[in-house]
């Protein structure tokens, strides 16, 4: 049965990795099928990433290019790419060759056996720094306890998804794109293959510790409301102890009369419970902030230019699509790129 394969590459300042990426990836894809597309998302790069895409497209028209208006972050860039795929099977893959393209035939084989999702699990993460590894393992332990859907430990975004999964994904409109969690939430029939994750081929990682921290918070706060509920129990426990203590104080006063000490304990209690109040407010704030972002209903990403698409159907691109297409069309006529 013939099928079409879509690859999605989100790239942010990846000019150094891209030539090797295409050199290694395209032959792997062509081993599997001749009917394929590679959706290249330029996530607001400040280097020659877009030019590299355009140059490679000149010799391989199966590349389609989405140029976002600025850097929206990997999760949004990935959504942009996924929204614009037309394949029966879709594989998001990193541009830095950390997701080995040699795995593509294996992913496709498992998909053809009837699985909707084939996840590539990292067998060892020794290529990541010690700090990142420890942080990741802590995060996964926390979220495994908190989240209602199990989020796999060693799965990244590298996976194959059936068209059905992509269509389901497009029905998840939330703005906080914690993709790992969303993928897990979708369900479907899953299989996996394992691989060893190597270090980046070229360039530098786009993740700073701050960004990872924010991603972790996104993961927790958008996949569980448990932090909110904790405060109810905490409040109940405190109220209970306060009641017991009150009875104790009253009895003691009745039996032994009034005495004045207690300065230290009062200060400590005030500081402790003010801190607890603040944390409780902060947790509510986290959710409130997320609700604010959701109700604003801003698009997840904006497309400045879409090159090589017959029909654009981006949720993020919205109603400007038609205009984009006219513009792209004009460009073709002018400089005869044959896009
Ligand atoms: N990326 C992106 N936008 C960003 C950050 C990263 O599109 O704001 C892309 C990046 O170009 C790469 C992939 O996401 O193709 C993974 O990024 P990176 O290798 O820096 O992350 P790591 O592998 O260290 O988790
Ligand atoms: Mg990487």
């Amino acid at each position: 049965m013939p099928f079409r394969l879509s690859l999605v590459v989100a790239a942010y300042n990846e000019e150094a990795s891209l030539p090797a990426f295409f050199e290694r990836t395209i032959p792997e894809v062509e081993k599997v099928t001749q009917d394929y597309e590679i959706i290249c998302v330029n996530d607001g790069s400040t280097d020659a990433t877009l030019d590299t895409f355009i140059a490679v497209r000149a010799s391989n028209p199966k590349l389609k290019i989405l140029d976002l208006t600025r850097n929206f972050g990997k999760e949004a860039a990935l959504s942009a790419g996924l929204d614009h795929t037309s394949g029966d099977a879709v594989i998001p893959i990193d541009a830095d060759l950390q997701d080995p393209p040699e795995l593509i035939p294996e992913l496709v084989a498992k998909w053809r056996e009837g699985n909707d999702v084939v996840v590539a699990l990292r067998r060892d993460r020794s290529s990541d720094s010690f700090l990142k590894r420890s942080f990741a393992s802590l995060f996964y332990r926390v979220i495994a306890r908190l989240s209602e859907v199990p989020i796999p430990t060693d799965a990244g975004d590298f996976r194959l998804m059936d068209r059905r999964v992509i269509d389901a994904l497009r029905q998840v409109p939330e703005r906080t794109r914690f993709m790992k969690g969303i993928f897990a939430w979708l369900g479907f029939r899953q299989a996996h293959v394992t691989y060893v994750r190597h270090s980046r081929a070229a360039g530098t990682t786009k993740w700073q510790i701050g960004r990872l921290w924010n991603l972790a918070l996104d993961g927790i706060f958008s996949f569980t409301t448990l932090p909110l509920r904790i405060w109810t129990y905490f409040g109940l426990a405190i109220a209970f102890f306060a009641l017991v203590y009150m009875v104790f104080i009253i009895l003691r006063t009745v039996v032994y009369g009034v005495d004045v000490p207690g300065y230290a304990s009062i200060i400590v209690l005030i500081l402790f419970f003010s801190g607890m109040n603040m944390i409780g407010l902060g947790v509510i704030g986290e959710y409130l902030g997320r609700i604010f972002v959701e109700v604003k209903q801003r698009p997840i990403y904006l497309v400045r230019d879409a090159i090589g698409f017959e029909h654009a159907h981006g949720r993020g691109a919205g109603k400007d699509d038609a205009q984009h297409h006219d513009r792209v069309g004009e460009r073709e006529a002018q400089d005869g790129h044959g896009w």
Side-chain angles (χ1 to χ4, degrees):
M1 186 193 64
F3 66 93
R4 170 182 276 199
L5 184 63
S6 302
L7 252 57
V8 176
V9 197
Y12 173 53
N13 292 348
E14 295 285 3
E15 62 176 359
S17 334
L18 285 177
F21 170 78
F22 285 114
E23 208 166 294
R24 250 173 78 184
T25 305
I26 292 173
E28 292 299 328
V29 175
E30 289 184 344
K31 266 187 210 166
V32 183
T33 175
Q34 293 303 313
D35 186 10
Y36 68 92
E37 60 178 3
I38 303 181
I39 313 283
C40 306
V41 186
N42 174 33
D43 188 15
S45 303
T46 49
D47 67 357
T49 296
L50 179 64
D51 302 330
T52 314
F53 282 151
I54 292 173
V56 179
R57 186 179 147 74
S59 61
N60 186 341
K62 306 234 161 154
L63 262 71
K64 298 178 180 176
I65 304 168
L66 284 177
D67 186 25
L68 303 189
T69 55
R70 64 173 170 84
N71 179 251
F72 281 88
K74 170 165 190 198
E75 314 271 316
L78 196 59
S79 299
L82 293 175
D83 283 349
H84 287 76
T85 54
S86 62
D88 303 300
V90 176
I91 305 178
I93 183 168
D94 282 0
D96 58 6
L97 287 169
Q98 283 196 289
D99 303 336
E102 290 72 24
L103 223 57
I104 292 173
E106 224 179 305
L107 292 174
V108 171
K110 288 253 175 169
W111 168 64
R112 305 210 78 181
E113 286 169 15
N115 296 296
D116 303 312
V117 181
V118 188
V119 185
L121 296 177
R122 306 168 209 182
R123 221 175 314 137
D124 101 80
R125 296 182 65 127
S126 51
S127 61
D128 285 338
S129 69
F130 174 74
L131 197 66
K132 189 171 172 186
R133 272 199 329 261
S134 341
F135 185 76
S137 111
L138 177 70
F139 168 71
Y140 283 118
R141 252 181 293 155
V142 171
I143 198 143
R145 297 217 151 196
L146 296 182
S147 165
E148 288 127 45
V149 286
I151 293 178
T153 313
D154 283 315
D157 298 323
F158 190 34
R159 61 187 60 223
L160 180 147
M161 287 173 282
D162 188 87
R163 181 84 252 153
R164 278 179 284 191
V165 182
I166 299 296
D167 290 342
L169 193 61
R170 288 169 58 89
Q171 291 174 37
V172 178
E174 59 201 69
R175 264 111 263 273
T176 309
R177 306 303 284 177
F178 181 65
M179 290 311 250
K180 255 186 241 267
I182 296 176
F183 285 148
W185 182 86
L186 291 175
F188 284 96
R189 196 182 297 171
Q190 303 211 0
H192 68 264
V193 300
T194 55
Y195 72 101
V196 178
R197 194 162 173 87
H198 293 290
S199 311
R200 244 176 183 280
T204 50
T205 176
K206 311 297 177 291
W207 290 111
Q208 298 101 22
I209 188 81
R211 268 184 135 172
L212 270 182
W213 173 250
N214 285 337
L215 185 71
L217 286 189
D218 272 352
I220 290 168
F221 288 113
S222 53
F223 271 83
T224 171
T225 48
L226 208 69
L228 282 175
R229 215 171 312 147
I230 286 171
W231 293 98
T232 314
Y233 294 112
F234 187 72
L236 282 174
I238 299 291
F240 175 75
F241 284 120
L243 208 69
V244 172
Y245 192 55
M246 186 182 78
V247 172
F248 169 73
I249 298 256
I250 290 174
L251 288 181
R252 201 182 58 174
T253 312
V254 168
V255 177
Y256 295 102
V258 185
D259 63 341
V260 199
Y263 169 77
S265 56
I266 286 178
I267 285 291
V268 168
L269 287 177
I270 287 180
L271 287 179
F272 178 71
F273 289 109
S274 320
M276 286 298 146
N277 271 331
M278 298 269 194
I279 297 175
L281 271 180
V283 169
I284 295 175
E286 282 289 336
Y287 287 97
L288 194 67
R290 269 155 237 275
I291 294 170
F292 180 56
V293 170
E294 292 296 328
V295 295
K296 276 196 288 190
Q297 288 285 312
R298 294 220 177 130
I300 296 166
Y301 56 84
L302 288 173
V303 178
R304 194 185 80 82
D305 219 345
I307 302 167
F309 294 89
E310 292 127 42
H311 312 284
H313 37 68
R315 169 179 34 170
K319 55 180 183 287
D320 287 343
D321 268 356
Q323 287 167 20
H324 276 302
H325 276 267
D326 292 342
R327 271 228 319 276
V328 174
E330 269 167 40
R331 275 258 283 278
E332 257 171 66
Q334 281 163 14
D335 54 22
H337 260 306
W339 284 348

